[in-house]
Amino acid sequence: MSKPNVLVIGSGGVGAISALSLSHNGGSTVTLVVRSDYDLINEKGFSINSCTYGKLTNWKPHNLARSVSEAREKYGPFDYILLTTKNVPDGPTTCEEIVAPAVTEQNEVIILLQNGIDIEKPMIAKFPGHLVLSGVSHIGSTYYHGHVENKGIDAVFLGDFNPKPACQHRASSASAAAKIEEFISIYHNPGFNRIQVDANVQKTRWEKLMYNSVFNVMTALVDLDVNSMQINGANDDLIRPAMAEIMAIARSVGVECDQGIVEKFVHIGDGLFYSPSMCVDMRKKQLMELEVILGNPIRIAREHSVPTPILGVLYPLLKMVQFRIKQEKKMFVIDQRDFQGSSDDYPRIFEEKYRH
């Protein structure tokens, strides 16, 4: 029996360690898409300093590809497509567009190892005949110019985004469970990583969101690390109240987050003076995962009439920061002649003329 064929899209800190975990297990054939640094990785491989896998030099998975299309042509079709890229639906390319070249009629399983809420909906709409699974990653791993620094054990929670009875589901419950178990079997390396079935993965997503939508968003907005915000009284003034808002939004859709998560996250970085990924992206003038981390929760809150006095202010402010980054990247060039009327009409004009 042939081994499952796995495509990993995204070669950053999470994607590289995911490809390493799959390769180390030996139960699958692994192809990794490396875009901007393909020549570097193809020639020299990754250098990896991992808290569990140790120090590796010149490491590569079974196959490398410059693009998803090349991966499909040379090494496909795939049984599993693992997407680890940033999810920026307001950017130049959506996740559905990134994945599309690898999707055939073979009923590939698509796993979104990404941040955010409601990220599965556009993927399921685009590929309704495929099983789309949720992967929540808890890992400390960063990538820069061929080097991966992995300081936290790779822990993955894997489940179905929206499990339903077999008669209602795009794939039977038994089939989904079998696919989840198979992927766990080819990913898990005892003593090196942790991956487990999560029957309530939406709750896990909301609880991780309590950190991302608060610490990521606030640090990116004010350009300060977490502890520097806390020095200025942010715990009581902003952080705890904002997390309470996320819990209330989750509750409005039937998800009850554990209250203890608040204090866990408030103190998880004590003494580290750590800058979360969204803050780092802002400093590097890269697009941030704003819409899936905060935009979608705010839209849910509005739909269910949940008050968001803090997050509802942070979201439009950070949208302006994202707007500035897009302008600097020349994603659009404003023609001031388009905006001569009432400023109340400006958002509509922008959507009609500049949103692609």
Side-chain angles (χ1 to χ4, degrees):
M1 183 176 178
S2 61
K3 296 179 180 180
N5 199 15
V6 182
L7 175 65
V8 181
I9 305 175
S11 57
V14 174
I17 295 299
S18 295
L20 174 58
S21 295
L22 287 159
S23 301
H24 186 87
N25 176 285
S28 63
T29 302
V30 183
T31 299
L32 177 63
V33 175
V34 182
R35 289 178 286 188
S36 58
D37 284 345
Y38 175 85
D39 291 335
L40 172 66
I41 302 303
N42 189 47
E43 178 183 353
K44 298 182 178 180
F46 290 92
S47 67
I48 298 175
N49 184 20
S50 170
C51 62
T52 50
Y53 293 101
K55 292 186 177 181
L56 306 175
T57 56
N58 308 116
W59 180 83
K60 301 177 188 177
H62 302 101
N63 305 310
L64 294 175
R66 292 180 182 274
S67 67
V68 177
S69 296
E70 180 182 280
R72 169 68 181 88
E73 292 168 5
K74 288 186 175 181
Y75 309 112
F78 300 99
D79 300 292
Y80 294 92
I81 300 171
L82 181 65
L83 187 62
T84 69
T85 61
K86 287 196 302 181
N87 193 328
V88 187
D90 57 322
T93 309
T94 66
C95 288
E96 304 80 68
E97 292 169 332
I98 291 171
V99 166
V103 178
T104 68
E105 299 302 319
Q106 304 298 315
N107 291 323
E108 300 93 344
V109 177
I110 302 169
I111 303 174
L112 306 183
L113 195 63
Q114 298 175 299
N115 292 320
I117 289 296
D118 277 357
I119 65 173
E120 75 280 11
K121 292 181 178 179
M123 193 67 72
I124 292 172
K126 179 71 173 179
F127 308 110
H130 292 71
L131 178 64
V132 180
L133 300 178
S134 171
V136 179
S137 173
H138 291 181
I139 187 175
S141 185
T142 56
Y143 169 85
Y144 178 72
H145 198 56
H147 178 70
V148 176
E149 191 71 24
N150 171 214
K151 295 185 177 181
I153 189 170
D154 182 21
V156 176
F157 300 85
L158 186 65
D160 197 345
F161 272 105
N162 190 26
K164 296 178 181 177
C167 61
Q168 300 177 15
H169 206 279
R170 59 195 175 278
S172 72
S173 299
S175 175
K179 290 296 185 181
I180 291 170
E181 290 291 350
E182 181 180 56
F183 189 81
I184 287 175
S185 74
I186 63 175
Y187 193 97
H188 187 211
N189 298 298
F192 292 85
N193 66 5
R194 296 193 299 266
I195 180 169
Q196 65 188 65
V197 179
D198 190 343
N200 196 358
V201 74
Q202 286 289 22
K203 180 182 179 221
T204 304
R205 281 197 166 273
W206 278 102
E207 290 183 344
K208 185 177 182 183
L209 190 78
M210 288 173 63
Y211 184 94
N212 286 338
S213 65
V214 176
F215 284 106
N216 267 278
V217 168
M218 291 182 184
T219 56
L221 187 58
V222 300
D223 193 8
L224 286 175
D225 59 74
V226 171
N227 292 156
S228 294
M229 288 199 314
Q230 292 170 321
I231 287 171
N232 285 279
N235 279 355
D236 288 333
D237 293 342
L238 292 170
I239 293 170
R240 288 187 177 99
M243 286 187 180
E245 291 178 18
I246 289 294
M247 293 182 72
I249 300 169
R251 192 176 300 117
S252 75
V253 292
V255 176
E256 192 66 44
C257 298
D258 294 337
Q259 182 64 42
I261 293 291
V262 172
E263 292 308 306
K264 173 186 174 181
F265 284 152
V266 165
H267 296 291
I268 198 170
D270 286 359
L272 297 180
F273 288 83
Y274 171 72
S275 297
S277 59
M278 190 180 285
C279 181
V280 174
D281 285 338
M282 180 277 301
R283 290 169 177 168
K284 294 164 75 174
K285 297 186 178 181
Q286 296 176 345
L287 295 183
M288 300 171 287
E289 295 182 293
L290 174 61
E291 292 303 325
V292 298
I293 285 177
L294 187 54
N296 286 348
I298 289 294
R299 284 182 275 275
I300 293 171
R302 290 170 179 167
E303 180 182 351
H304 293 268
S305 301
V306 179
T308 54
I310 294 175
L311 296 177
V313 172
L314 297 181
Y315 175 55
L317 290 177
L318 201 57
K319 277 184 68 175
M320 296 178 202
V321 176
Q322 185 94 312
F323 180 90
R324 184 187 71 224
I325 294 172
K326 290 176 181 179
Q327 280 189 308
E328 292 169 349
K329 286 181 169 293
K330 306 297 183 184
M331 291 178 61
F332 53 79
V333 178
I334 293 293
D335 185 341
Q336 295 184 7
R337 291 171 297 183
D338 290 332
F339 299 90
Q340 298 302 310
S342 169
S343 57
D344 290 334
D345 294 330
Y346 288 3
R348 176 187 56 78
I349 295 170
F350 181 80
E351 287 291 329
E352 291 176 353
K353 294 194 175 184
Y354 295 88
R355 188 79 69 188
H356 300 292

